[in-house]
Amino acid sequence: MSITRRNLTKLAAASTVVASSSARAQQPAEVVFGLISPLSGPWAKSGDLSRKGAEMAVADINKAGGIKALGGAKVRLAVGDCGDSPEKSKNAAQRLLADEPNLVGGAGAYVSSFTLAVTEVTERAGVPWFTLSYSDAITSRGFHYVYQTSPTADAQAKAALPTLLALAKAATGRDAKKLGIVMDNTASPVSFTKGLRAGGAEALGMQIVVDETFTPPLSDAGPVMQRVRAARPDVLLLLPTAVPDIKLTLEKMNEIGLGHGKLPAINNGGPMGSPDLLRVVGPDMLEGVMFITATWGLKGMEALTEEFRRRTGEPWITQDSLSNYAHMWILKAAVEAAGSTDREKVNAAIKVMDDPEIAKFFPGGRVKFDEQGHRVGASLVIAQWQNGVPVTVFPIDRAVAQPIWPGR
Amino acid sequence: MNAMIEQFVQTLAAGLTAGSLYGLTCVGLAMIFGIMRVINFAQGDFMMVGMYLAVWIAARLGGVHVFGAAAPFIAAILVAPVLFMAGSLLHRLLISRTTGLRAVGLSGEGHQAQLILTLGVALILQNGALILMGSSPVSIVSKLSSRAWEIPLLIDEDSTLFLNQARTISALVSIGVAFLLFRLIRQTGIGKSLRAAADNPEAATYVGIDVTRAHRIAFGLGAAIAGVAGALMVLSTPAQPFVGTDFIIIMYAGVVLGGIGSITGAFWGGMVIGVVQQLSTLVLPLQLQNAMVFLVFVLILLFRPQGLFGRTVERA
């Protein structure tokens, strides 16, 4: 056959047909999703809860018939341990990408600084990546493959106080006027309270009457909490991040008669609702304590919560588990929409996604992402320890219990 | 003014209770350092082991109603013989190879080998705990931890001193254990052999004292005291594999502050650290609490390099 333009056109057409039928025949037997999580070190419990959520999602996806657009291909979860440092997190991401060349997308890595390190690697490889981490920096670097389903720390700080004030008023019928802050000097509380000190509290008609920052670990919470007792705030932002400091401050609050919700104490972040904390501190200490988080066991997902308890043995579903459960379903929906495991196509599908069903795993907003990768309309949950269980008390339409706000 | 007095008294009480516990941890380290001249990097990890043991024992005692609220303190006392035996065994198997008369032939009198060995023991204990116990913190949940004895200060109607029950009892037990140890060293035959081994190991051998045995007892006692201190602390500080590293610097600071080689001085060194750490919060931001401890540490060493008690008062 001579090489003419007509013959070349025929050859090209024939090869397209062959390639297409070959692609159908070689549809992947499995689709690989990734999870990088701290499975060792101080955050291991949160990492374990993240893994349990992602594993349950993958099991549910496969039970429901796998990826239908790919002929029912099953999903496999590849898990990496990011340990206790950004350096280990970066290594875990590199290892995951090397071990799993067919990785379609993933989620992780819980601690903001770990997520920043992991996404430096996944972005370069063009792997769509979801995270529950709060730091604003994660989605402010101009990356194209990173998606943040939680409201950022800055957004949380702006939304939290008005929400809490509304909650206080709904529960007590009166406005809270005096604010107390007790926190450690780690990144999360510092960024959370920055705006409040810079006029944010004042703009809401609140006066900061006690403001104490310590370097963890706290040797004795007595002097700090004594100042809180003397200042008598209406609401206390209690923001230690380490379990020993949480234990000391809560015990001291109870000791001086401010516990059990008498002085409403609010923390930010899922660790305040960890089953581990209950074991270390005990239900009495935690009674009435509130915390702000990106998602929690919401009204309408009782069946999921019960199933999670049954399968994992954990006493309740946490933000770590729930967010990563949702992340796997978002990835699945993107692969279905793309009809391919090609990362570029999957990423393009995420960019145009607007899924009302998966959005139910979050307290508000949609599963739709803006140009920077923020989930549109992401809002927060306020949960409160009641009778040894952290239950959602806000938003009111998704709350499973009324807030306790007894006042003094 | 009354509020300031209340705050001062409350802070001083917090300093004294924290200082008593720090003092006991420093005494444990001083036993090993003062008598054997071994810088024991694993001392904080003996404390960690004591914490886990106490949680385990208290969980079992908790089921027996007769012990009630006393269970954590009984557990703390029971930790002592276990860690004494573990410390003695560790000395027999490892530490004795780099200390005492065996160290005479080693470079730097065995100090380099001792440093590496105790650092290795520390790493084994930390990572062993991580494998066996996991990284989740554990604690003894006791009502005493969140209850206080309320003592009216009589300066006005509202002013009250809150003495946390768990911390106060822990502090009293610490003082009791330290006192018993002082008596043991000063008034018993074992104490005499320990002091002789500390003062001059060679001369002690000439007069028939088994220096290796004395060192074994000292190491066992040091480990046991660290364990008891950890067990008393676990009521307020949850146990986790690396918790010892939070305390090791305070231990060394206390020992140096009190005067290297002095066991009484080590207790008071720990007490000074606790009191300074708390009182500094009255005049400085809370974040500088630990910075103040080391400022005082530097000042004392500047004006009294031999430490508060030095070697002239007591050596072991």
Side-chain angles (χ1 to χ4, degrees), chain A residues 224-294:
Chain A
V224 184
M225 299 316 285
Q226 195 71 355
R227 286 176 205 179
V228 173
R229 180 172 168 265
R232 299 187 181 281
D234 297 319
V235 178
L236 177 68
L237 287 179
L238 185 64
L239 308 171
T241 51
V243 169
D245 296 334
I246 294 174
K247 179 177 163 69
L248 280 180
T249 47
L250 289 178
E251 283 175 349
K252 189 52 77 172
M253 277 185 72
N254 275 266
E255 184 186 310
I256 60 178
L258 300 178
H260 292 93
K262 287 195 181 72
L263 169 60
I266 295 120
N267 190 292
N268 74 320
M272 199 65 170
S274 162
D276 262 5
L277 192 64
L278 179 67
R279 206 168 42 155
V280 171
V281 179
D284 275 4
M285 283 325 96
L286 290 163
E287 187 66 14
V289 173
M290 295 188 193
F291 56 94
I292 299 154
T293 181

Side-chain angles (χ1 to χ4, degrees), chain A residues 373-384:
Chain A
H374 301 126
R375 192 169 66 81
V376 174
S379 58
L380 48 83
V381 165
I382 297 175
Q384 184 178 40

Side-chain angles (χ1 to χ4, degrees), chain A residues 41 44 185 213-215 219-220 223-224 226-227 229 244 247-248 251 254-256 276 279-281 284-285, chain B residues 6-7 14 22 135-137 139 141 143 145-146 148 158 162 164 167 235-236 238 240 277-278 281 286-287:
Chain A
N185 55 3
T213 305
F214 62 88
T215 304
S219 55
D220 190 318
V224 184
Q226 195 71 355
R227 286 176 205 179
R229 180 172 168 265
K247 179 177 163 69
L248 280 180
E251 283 175 349
N254 275 266
E255 184 186 310
I256 60 178
D276 262 5
R279 206 168 42 155
V280 171
V281 179
D284 275 4
M285 283 325 96
Chain B
E6 185 189 28
Q7 186 74 30
Y22 289 164
S135 60
S136 295
S139 186
V141 178
K143 289 194 185 307
S145 302
S146 58
D158 286 341
F162 291 89
N164 181 286
R167 284 187 160 239
L235 277 164
S236 50
Q240 41 191 328
Q277 194 182 46
Q278 297 305 318
T281 63
L286 213 54
Q287 294 180 73

Side-chain angles (χ1 to χ4, degrees), chain B residues 46-113:
Chain B
F46 290 156
M47 212 180 96
M48 175 269 292
V49 173
M51 286 173 136
Y52 277 115
L53 263 177
V55 172
W56 188 81
I57 295 170
R60 269 123 203 96
L61 292 180
V64 185
H65 293 299
V66 284
F67 295 115
F73 305 102
I74 296 169
I77 301 301
L78 292 177
V79 160
V82 179
L83 268 160
F84 178 82
M85 285 189 282
S88 303
L89 192 66
L90 188 66
H91 179 271
R92 182 188 287 268
L93 296 176
L94 292 174
I95 308 291
S96 63
R97 294 169 195 275
T98 61
T99 58
L101 298 176
R102 281 200 191 181
V104 173
L106 296 174
S107 69
E109 292 183 334
H111 287 314
Q112 291 148 354

Side-chain angles (χ1 to χ4, degrees), chain A residues 309-328:
Chain A
R309 288 174 58 180
R310 193 186 66 75
R311 285 198 217 171
T312 63
E314 295 292 342
W316 52 79
I317 194 162
T318 65
Q319 179 206 358
D320 326 302
S321 309
L322 196 47
S323 292
N324 284 299
Y325 184 85
H327 293 159
M328 295 300 127

